[in-house]
Amino acid sequence: MKQLKPVLIIISFIIAVSFVVPTLLVLPFSSDQASGKLDESKKNPPTEEKLSEAVEVAVFRSESKTIEKLPLEDYVVGVVASEMPAEFEMEALKAQALAARTYIVSHLMAKDEKVPKGADVTDTVTHQVYKSKDELKKIWGPDYERKLERITKAVLETQGKVLSYNGSPITASFFSTSNGYTVDSEDYFPNETPYLKSVESPWDKDSPKFEEQKIVSVAEFEQKLGVKLGDKESVGTITSRTSGKRVGSIEINGKKFTGREIRESLNLASTDFTWYRKQDHIVITTKGYGHGVGMSQYGANGMAEEGKSFKEIVNHYYSGIDIVGTDKFLKQYTAKK
């Protein structure tokens, strides 16, 4: 046993060294003294919100003839502020924000060659009305901060979202006030669009623009339409109606017109019109304000006043659509640039 003691001591020493040596080897290279480390990337793909913030819209300012570039979401704020009263219900403002964002995303993807060089859109009704914050300050005066806060809230709470049909952004048509119904797209525009169908819109009756009267002289009426009324009893005949109970076609002393042609020639509020002759004047009454296709703004506000959400509003006025993220569409747009 005495002879075994030295052997056991040696074995114990070897075992102890086997534990200590690796530690000694590691200590000189501890991370505390390292001059560089192997990093792991924490970079995530841009979210829909970040991507929509990164994309810029180039707006041709019609008055100054200059181009203003700004982030997409700031552009949407300027459009909603210009296209819908800031006093409208929040859910109606959100619905308008979705429509405005959908319009510009769709427009960016399609690329309009008719706009001035370097611009994506104009600031007029040709595309969407847009006003800068400086312009809004002048228009709103002391109410600027309050109104801008409401508009911005609506835009932020729908940020990164658009309206889609069959995987593509829709043509998000909107207008001020219906006559109680919207119209099928093909009853006003050249093409049929499956999600732009006539729906009831009874809330519009509360709009200050629901009914309007306009008086023009017989001479002006004849000149603008290129007709002669003949005897004083003859003021034309409505020969067909469109969806939404509007004038489809009309005949005046042998000459045929569409309701849209009459509206545009006489600068009427809508294609739901009637008139009568009073001495040397034509008294015209219209119901509704705008082309009647898509979302009625006053209808949207009426729905919101009844407690409907922005999702319910857009699904009422745009048939069979989905609310989706902008990510896929904006990636396609930026990839083309």
Side-chain angles (χ1 to χ4, degrees), residues 3-17:
Q3 292 178 347
L4 289 175
K5 282 185 178 180
V7 175
L8 290 173
I9 292 170
I10 292 169
I11 292 172
S12 299
F13 177 76
I14 292 171
I15 292 172
V17 168

Side-chain angles (χ1 to χ4, degrees), residues 177-234:
T177 304
S178 82
N179 64 341
Y181 302 85
T182 68
V183 300
D184 293 343
S185 59
E186 64 270 27
D187 285 337
Y188 196 84
F189 298 121
N191 300 318
E192 179 181 358
T193 306
Y195 48 82
L196 295 175
K197 292 299 180 184
S198 176
V199 297
E200 291 188 22
S201 189
W203 309 276
D204 301 67
K205 291 178 181 178
D206 294 329
S207 167
K209 299 180 179 180
F210 181 70
E211 188 168 301
E212 207 173 272
Q213 190 177 84
K214 181 173 185 174
I215 300 173
V216 299
S217 68
V218 169
E220 181 184 355
F221 184 90
E222 292 178 329
Q223 185 269 322
K224 287 186 173 180
L225 296 180
V227 298
K228 287 292 182 183
L229 291 183
D231 68 82
K232 293 187 178 181
E233 298 300 319
S234 175

Side-chain angles (χ1 to χ4, degrees), residues 241-312:
R241 292 271 180 183
T242 69
S243 60
K245 305 184 185 300
R246 298 175 184 233
V247 175
S249 58
I250 187 170
E251 187 173 319
I252 305 172
N253 202 16
K255 189 171 182 179
K256 297 178 181 179
F257 301 88
T258 65
R260 178 175 179 173
E261 287 171 338
I262 294 289
R263 181 196 174 209
E264 293 177 350
S265 297
L266 298 178
N267 194 27
L268 304 181
S270 83
T271 52
D272 182 358
F273 55 79
T274 186
W275 60 57
Y276 63 88
R277 182 170 182 166
K278 188 173 183 179
Q279 298 175 347
D280 292 329
H281 292 85
I282 304 295
V283 181
I284 308 169
T285 300
T286 56
K287 285 187 178 180
Y289 193 96
H291 51 63
V293 180
M295 184 179 73
S296 163
Q297 293 173 313
Y298 273 90
N301 195 53
M303 290 185 71
E305 287 176 338
E306 290 184 357
K308 299 294 192 294
S309 70
F310 73 91
K311 293 180 181 179
E312 291 175 298

